[in-house]
Amino acid sequence: AEILRALAHQARIRLLERLIQGECCVSEIENCLGLSQPNVSQHLKVLKDVGAIRGTRKGTKICYAIADERVERVIAAILEGA
């Protein structure tokens, strides 16, 4: 239920859709989704808090990836129905 609540925002669905394609850093997510850095950070925090994604430090950047394969299946089902 927590994961589904975290997915209840279009920006987070789009963010996860991007992460399904592969690991991505915040600046790439900003550019891809057209969102500000604070906005992206808020959405990443929500997804990280429910265990949907994980962050890995790479130098001065943190890159994110899907941490729970169930999230990939849910996003695929959402996109399939769209």
Side-chain angles (χ1 to χ4, degrees):
E2 289 178 7
I3 289 176
L4 293 176
R5 275 193 297 273
L7 297 180
H9 194 287
Q10 183 178 359
R12 290 192 284 268
I13 291 172
R14 290 176 43 222
L15 194 154
L16 288 168
E17 183 180 6
R18 170 56 188 93
L19 291 179
I20 287 171
Q21 298 170 18
E23 187 176 81
C24 195
C25 296
V26 174
S27 60
E28 296 171 70
I29 295 168
E30 289 174 45
N31 293 334
C32 179
L33 301 182
L35 299 173
S36 67
Q37 186 275 325
N39 201 330
V40 169
S41 293
Q42 284 181 325
H43 291 303
L44 288 169
K45 180 181 178 348
V46 170
L47 294 169
K48 193 172 178 185
D49 286 350
V50 298
I53 62 172
R54 67 180 181 328
T56 306
R57 182 165 293 280
K58 293 190 175 187
T60 60
K61 297 180 180 182
I62 299 177
C63 295
Y64 292 90
I66 301 289
D68 186 335
E69 68 181 42
R70 295 175 299 173
V71 171
E72 287 188 48
R73 292 194 302 262
V74 170
I75 295 299
I78 289 169
L79 296 174
E80 197 173 283

